[in-house]
Amino acid sequence: MTASAGIDVCGLDELEPVDARGFEYPTPDGPRSGFIVRDGERVVAYRNVCPHGQPLNWKPHAFLTRARDRIMCSVHGAVFEPMTGLCVGGPCPGRSLTALRVEIRGGRVRVYPDKPDGTGSAPLVGLVEEVQGVPPDFFACDVPPGRVVLGGDVE
């Protein structure tokens, strides 16, 4: 499977309302890892690389703080906002995680690391709930100061 075809990470029902899940994806330079975070009705995906260059987790799927309200680097303790990837504490304030495009379709979470080097794409958030009658199979992009719907196909 190529990364551009999307990576089937898991079923949405396999995740708790606040949860994280790691995965690997292929690149021309070899496999890389990423992770998804579900926070209620939203799911985001990031490369599993802290701004200091090392993986964030110390064991599989361990990306969140004990309170489950932040992403935390196990190496040096940087903490990140789950839905934006912005570092809000620790040695890299103001820097961000690299987001990957994510989609929820047919109850499955798929991630699309589109760039040829596997470094990710625009910071996209897959919304799970219907919004004003629009099915959940669409993309939304965090564009400060608000969210913008980019579109998508419905099965």
Side-chain angles (χ1 to χ4, degrees):
M1 173 187 294
T2 65
S4 62
I7 308 302
D8 183 52
V9 178
C10 65
L12 187 62
D13 61 354
E14 296 173 45
L15 298 169
E16 297 294 325
V18 177
D19 206 354
R21 176 78 50 99
F23 62 90
E24 288 196 353
Y25 59 95
T27 74
D29 296 325
R32 294 198 184 189
S33 64
F35 65 102
I36 59 173
V37 176
R38 179 180 183 180
D39 185 6
E41 300 303 315
R42 294 173 285 180
V43 176
V44 293
Y46 299 103
R47 283 187 62 214
N48 183 14
V49 179
C50 187
H52 77 274
Q54 297 297 313
L56 292 134
N57 60 324
W58 62 279
K59 67 179 185 176
H61 315 303
F63 296 96
L64 301 177
T65 61
R66 284 190 180 149
R68 304 180 73 72
D69 62 344
R70 299 276 191 265
I71 297 166
M72 183 171 166
C73 177
S74 66
V75 176
H76 71 299
V79 290
F80 303 86
E81 287 286 342
M83 292 297 110
T84 65
L86 179 67
C87 181
V88 293
C92 57
R95 296 187 67 194
S96 294
L97 300 174
T98 301
L100 302 173
R101 191 166 55 104
V102 63
E103 174 185 33
I104 292 46
R105 183 180 298 266
R108 304 294 299 175
V109 179
R110 295 187 69 78
V111 176
Y112 298 85
D114 287 334
K115 292 184 179 177
D117 64 1
T119 58
S121 55
L124 297 172
V125 178
L127 298 182
V128 178
E129 65 182 313
E130 290 193 18
V131 178
Q132 297 178 351
V134 177
D137 299 321
F138 65 93
F139 302 126
C141 179
D142 270 332
V143 179
R147 297 196 188 281
V148 176
V149 174
L150 297 179
D153 294 329
V154 178
E155 290 183 309

